[in-house]
Amino acid sequence: MSAVWQNNGGMGVALATVAVASVVFVQQSRRRRTGKDGALILPHVRSLLPYVGSAIDMGGGINKFIRKHAARLGGQPLFTATILGDKCVFIADPEYLSFIFKSSLQKKLDSETLQKQFMTNVMSASPSEVDEIFDKDTLKKGSSHYHHYLFKGAELERSTRLVQEFFIKLIPTLVSTTDKDAWTRHDLFSMVVSAIFKASMGPLLSGSVVSDEAMQGFRDFDVGVVMMFNEAPSLLYRKSLKARAQLLKEMESSAFWKEASPLMKTRKETLNVSKQSLYKANLGILWASVGNSAPATFWTLLHLIEDETAWKACRDQVETIAANRKDEFFSLDDLDEMTLLHSAFYETLRIYQGNFTARQVKEDFVLDMGSNKKYWIEAGSKLMPFWGILHSDPHIFENPNQFQYDRFVDTAKVFKYKSGKPLTHAPVMAFGGGAHLCPGRKFIAYEVKLFLAMLMINFDMVLVDGERHPNINPAMQGIGVSHPDHDPKIEIRLKQ
């Protein structure tokens, strides 16, 4: 799971911190401009509030925040800012983002500090439980389990088949009549979250969690994740705390383990952790999967509904593939042939995936980017590469604010930085990188394509007249795929 970071307006500030604001301000203004080996000390975004710092400013939009301050600081590719007491390093040049994965720097960076904070604040893990969850042997075994069950081979095929079996049962229930001319109205985001949550639970966790009650519990919990992580006053997310307790209780039940997935059973049998550590880590798996795949499915489907040309092109391709199936199920090879839906899915991730790949700096080092560009990175600071800077760069992507469903169909296309150099990594960095590449990325992509394909071959879908395209909910940005600021209404009917 990637570390997460996001400002929340509910964070309070002790009045005592304001008293030292002027002292901190003066100290920052007198800092030397160069460090060891002539490396540039990063310019700092000044604030009169030393603890809150620039958190409120960043809450107005992370991309906007980074680009604005980089410009104000003379076009610097890196700068620092105080965010809720932490000195954070922000990166404004997409060409610099991937340095965080350099093997030569891994001993100087800590990828676990913020993940441990997430487990403590969001999953209510105690210090001893955190130690168990992040034990090297436990992490190694857990990674092996994910790759075995979710990344390749017969187990991935089995998991995908379970998803399809659920969707086959779901599809007829989405319309209220067999009359082909009758339309049924849905709240699109709610419909998608319900479908993806329930379809995911069988292969990932347990059949006992495939319920409206558990799905609503997940949604109530999800709303409070950002506030929990940032240690906001608990009165702001009481409903989320109650939902978390209920979800954990479900994971402890005999019903859960009676219908547990092979992944869950293997984790229980092989991980040397306490029961509570296991339950809380499993809740993390639930959140990390559905919390991203559901909004990604929503945005992809919404854009396809809005674009008749894109809808027709994707549907035509899906129908051609469906016509050549051996039975009612799509194989993994069939899903791989859905290149237009795959491209549309990654275009969605490019636009709406707004995550940080955060790292704690354990020791001072000089970041040498070549061409006499050296930067002094201080121990104790947090590196905050935000991939939205890459995904929205007009030099890399033509018309970056426009959804182009077929942007990634040509897999041989070379995307380039402003400097003219080709990207050294994938053009869409939605699933991490290096040793932290998400092992569930294939399962999620297959699940999204399955749902979209089965909707397309069964239904016509339109936005309700007068419905507007949602904006991104800024309170839910920075933790993965962004959520909409409202739930748009659609109408569906049996395909004409």
Side-chain angles (χ1 to χ4, degrees):
M1 183 190 306
S2 296
V4 295
W5 185 266
Q6 169 66 18
N7 161 59
N8 184 276
M11 294 301 294
V13 185
L15 292 177
T17 62
V18 181
V20 298
S22 59
V23 176
V24 175
F25 188 93
V26 171
Q27 288 175 339
Q28 289 175 343
S29 66
R30 292 178 180 175
R31 177 172 290 174
R32 292 186 302 117
R33 297 293 295 168
T34 57
K36 184 179 179 181
D37 298 331
L40 177 69
I41 287 181
L42 305 182
H44 189 76
V45 176
R46 296 176 176 179
S47 172
L48 292 176
L49 297 177
Y51 177 78
V52 175
S54 301
I56 296 174
D57 189 8
M58 189 175 75
I62 301 170
N63 261 337
K64 178 182 176 182
F65 169 82
I66 294 174
R67 289 201 166 98
K68 175 180 69 176
H69 289 293
R72 287 180 177 177
L73 293 168
Q76 288 292 338
L78 292 90
F79 65 88
T80 63
T82 299
I83 305 293
L84 302 179
D86 291 314
K87 184 177 182 180
C88 298
V89 178
F90 293 96
I91 304 169
D93 187 337
E95 197 165 346
Y96 286 30
L97 287 168
S98 62
F99 83 80
I100 201 167
F101 300 127
K102 285 186 175 182
S103 58
S104 60
L105 295 179
Q106 296 315 301
K107 290 184 179 181
K108 296 178 173 63
L109 304 177
D110 180 3
S111 64
E112 292 183 358
T113 296
L114 294 180
Q115 295 182 51
K116 289 178 179 179
Q117 183 180 339
F118 183 85
M119 289 303 301
T120 300
N121 296 353
V122 180
M123 302 300 164
S124 72
S126 68
S128 62
E129 289 167 348
V130 169
D131 288 341
E132 286 185 335
I133 293 167
F134 287 90
D135 174 77
K136 288 184 178 180
D137 184 60
T138 299
L139 292 175
K140 184 177 180 180
K141 286 181 179 178
S143 179
S144 175
H145 298 157
Y146 299 145
H147 278 87
H148 178 72
Y149 289 107
L150 300 176
F151 190 66
K152 62 182 179 180
E155 288 298 334
L156 179 58
E157 187 89 52
R158 185 197 64 81
S159 297
T160 305
R161 179 125 179 166
L162 287 175
V163 170
Q164 288 190 79
E165 289 175 356
F166 175 79
F167 287 150
I168 288 172
K169 295 176 183 177
L170 172 70
I171 290 297
T173 70
L174 294 179
V175 290
S176 57
T177 175
T178 56
D179 181 355
K180 278 196 170 187
D181 294 322
W183 293 90
T184 300
R185 184 167 293 195
H186 289 277
D187 294 324
L188 182 58
F189 188 65
S190 297
M191 183 190 83
V192 169
V193 172
S194 177
I196 296 298
F197 177 88
K198 294 175 182 177
S200 301
M201 289 305 95
L204 293 180
L205 275 84
S206 170
S208 72
V209 196
V210 183
S211 67
D212 289 331
E213 182 181 9
M215 182 273 297
Q216 188 57 52
F218 162 76
R219 294 196 68 178
D220 292 341
F221 170 65
D222 190 34
V223 169
V225 165
V226 173
M227 290 182 282
M228 291 181 198
F229 182 78
N230 286 324
E231 300 179 279
S234 60
L235 60 88
L236 297 176
Y237 51 86
R238 286 176 179 171
K239 192 173 183 180
S240 298
L241 294 175
K242 183 178 180 181
R244 181 181 68 189
Q246 187 58 43
L247 289 170
L248 287 171
K249 184 178 179 181
E250 173 64 34
M251 292 183 182
E252 299 173 13
S253 69
S254 58
F256 179 94
W257 291 106
K258 184 178 180 180
E259 298 185 56
S261 68
L263 172 61
M264 290 293 106
K265 289 179 179 177
T266 300
R267 285 170 59 81
K268 184 178 182 181
E269 293 167 0
T270 62
L271 297 184
N272 185 28
V273 298
S274 67
K275 289 182 179 180
Q276 286 301 315
S277 295
L278 179 65
Y279 302 150
K280 291 169 184 178
N282 289 344
L283 179 58
I285 293 174
L286 185 159
W287 179 83
S289 57
V290 182
N292 285 295
S293 57
T297 306
F298 161 79
W299 289 113
T300 308
L301 181 56
L302 175 64
H303 279 284
L304 294 178
I305 290 173
E306 292 177 321
D307 186 339
E308 292 183 11
T309 300
W311 178 273
K312 184 179 185 305
C314 291
R315 177 191 265 180
D316 287 348
Q317 187 181 61
V318 168
E319 288 181 335
T320 298
I321 295 168
N324 295 317
R325 289 181 296 180
K326 296 178 181 178
D327 52 34
E328 62 180 331
F329 293 96
F330 289 107
S331 68
L332 297 188
D333 288 339
D334 291 333
L335 295 172
D336 287 335
E337 291 179 17
M338 296 180 188
T339 55
L340 291 176
L341 282 183
H342 189 80
S343 173
F345 170 57
Y346 270 79
E347 177 72 340
T348 292
L349 295 177
R350 183 188 69 79
I351 296 175
Y352 296 102
Q353 176 80 347
N355 64 305
F356 288 105
T357 302
R359 298 288 187 271
Q360 186 85 28
V361 180
K362 295 192 292 185
E363 59 182 87
D364 296 341
F365 68 91
V366 174
L367 175 63
D368 189 347
M369 298 303 294
S371 302
N372 295 318
K373 297 177 181 178
K374 295 182 179 181
Y375 303 92
W376 181 248
I377 308 297
E378 293 183 343
S381 59
K382 287 184 172 71
L383 297 180
M384 304 293 286
F386 183 67
W387 294 102
I389 291 294
L390 168 80
H391 298 157
S392 60
D393 191 292
H395 302 287
I396 300 172
F397 302 104
E398 184 180 358
N399 299 320
N401 297 324
Q402 183 182 93
F403 182 90
Q404 296 178 12
Y405 75 97
D406 57 352
R407 190 188 294 271
F408 299 109
V409 170
D410 181 3
T411 57
K413 182 176 180 179
V414 176
F415 293 89
K416 297 181 179 181
Y417 298 113
K418 181 180 180 180
S419 66
K421 297 178 182 178
L423 268 63
T424 56
H425 47 71
V428 177
M429 294 292 288
F431 296 105
H436 300 275
L437 195 60
C438 175
R441 61 191 183 277
K442 280 194 174 182
F443 173 79
I444 291 174
Y446 284 145
E447 181 180 51
V448 172
K449 287 192 284 186
L450 272 172
F451 189 49
L452 297 176
M454 295 177 76
L455 289 174
M456 285 185 154
I457 61 178
N458 284 282
F459 300 120
D460 295 326
M461 309 180 76
V462 296
L463 279 175
V464 170
D465 286 345
E467 186 64 74
R468 68 174 178 84
H469 186 92
N471 294 316
I472 290 173
N473 180 355
M476 297 292 284
Q477 192 179 19
I479 59 173
V481 180
S482 302
H483 287 214
D485 64 354
H486 77 276
D487 197 346
K489 297 185 182 300
I490 63 162
E491 289 184 326
I492 68 174
R493 68 179 178 188
L494 295 172
K495 183 174 175 290
Q496 299 293 291

